[in-house]
Amino acid sequence: MSQEGVIAKERFEQATTYDEYVERMQVNQRQMTEFTDEIEISDEDIEWWNQQPKINVLVLTYDGCGDALYNIPVLAKIARHCSNIDLRVVQRDENLDIMNRYLNKGTFQSVPAFIFMDEDLVEIGNLKERSHEMTEVFEREGIRLRRSLREQFKEPWRAEMARELRDVVANRKRYD
């Protein structure tokens, strides 16, 4: 049973390389370059990647994405050391046909979306946004921060909530 490629070969080859992507960035260009330069990848990881067969990687993103700024440079640094990795980076909003096949939790157009493919552009794996461990940290710290903010600002927030509740009824307001 043959599997279909994620993207047509011509479209993949026309997608921007990492360096071209960075060169065209409108936001975070300097930081992206700095982060890529400063990242250190272990010799063990480089050796592992070099032992893999050819890997084509398509990354969907947008310039202002914080997760992209911190995560794409890691793969870019690996690709610089591994000639068997062909890394292409494209704008999410210009590639919604692909993005919509890789929705995070079936709903969110989360980026960066890393799509790893074999030499025939058949998917071998994907990663959305960030590692599972880092997502757990974000969620745990987000809860901690929300609790802290609620306590710190409870009086003004209560007053604001009372005002908003009144406004909803008085103006027949609906949140969609």
Side-chain angles (χ1 to χ4, degrees):
M1 177 175 167
S2 68
Q3 293 181 320
E4 189 176 317
V6 170
I7 185 173
K9 182 178 180 181
E10 299 77 27
R11 187 172 173 191
F12 181 79
E13 290 172 350
Q14 291 173 0
T16 56
T17 66
Y18 176 73
D19 291 334
E20 291 168 339
Y21 170 73
V22 172
E23 186 177 302
R24 295 176 186 175
M25 287 180 78
Q26 301 295 308
V27 179
N28 294 328
Q29 183 184 50
R30 180 185 56 77
Q31 295 94 336
M32 186 73 82
T33 300
E34 285 177 12
F35 287 4
T36 304
D37 290 343
E38 73 186 17
I39 289 170
E40 294 185 23
I41 306 297
S42 72
D43 291 341
E44 180 182 333
D45 280 337
I46 296 299
E47 183 179 335
W48 185 89
W49 284 101
N50 273 317
Q51 291 175 359
Q52 302 309 303
K54 178 160 177 64
I55 300 174
N56 294 299
V57 187
L58 183 67
V59 179
L60 298 149
T61 191
Y62 67 88
D63 294 3
C65 175
D67 284 311
L69 181 60
Y70 283 84
N71 297 330
I72 296 173
V74 175
L75 184 58
K77 191 69 165 246
I78 292 168
R80 284 186 180 170
H81 291 284
C82 303
S83 61
N84 59 323
I85 299 175
D86 189 351
L87 172 61
R88 305 297 174 116
V89 183
V90 297
Q91 295 289 337
R92 172 194 66 192
D93 295 344
E94 296 170 8
N95 294 275
L96 292 176
D97 61 319
I98 298 171
M99 182 74 256
N100 289 332
R101 288 187 275 155
Y102 289 91
L103 297 175
N104 193 357
K105 299 181 181 175
T107 303
F108 306 103
Q109 293 180 340
S110 301
V111 293
F114 298 87
I115 306 167
F116 297 89
M117 301 166 285
D118 64 18
E119 63 183 308
D120 296 319
L121 302 173
V122 173
E123 181 184 338
I124 57 177
N126 70 70
L127 175 71
K128 300 167 187 169
E129 256 183 320
R130 66 186 82 86
S131 72
H132 178 70
E133 182 177 320
M134 289 310 303
T135 296
E136 287 181 354
V137 169
F138 274 48
E139 289 172 0
R140 185 174 56 247
E141 290 301 308
I143 290 169
R144 186 188 64 72
L145 177 61
R146 284 191 298 277
R147 286 178 181 154
S148 173
L149 289 171
R150 284 185 193 114
E151 186 59 32
Q152 182 180 352
F153 296 102
K154 71 180 171 187
E155 292 309 317
W157 284 9
R158 287 173 178 164
E160 174 60 21
M161 190 63 184
R163 186 203 61 75
E164 187 67 14
L165 291 168
R166 189 170 112 183
D167 188 44
V168 166
V169 173
N171 296 302
R172 301 183 187 283
K173 188 174 178 180
R174 288 186 170 83
Y175 284 83
D176 292 324

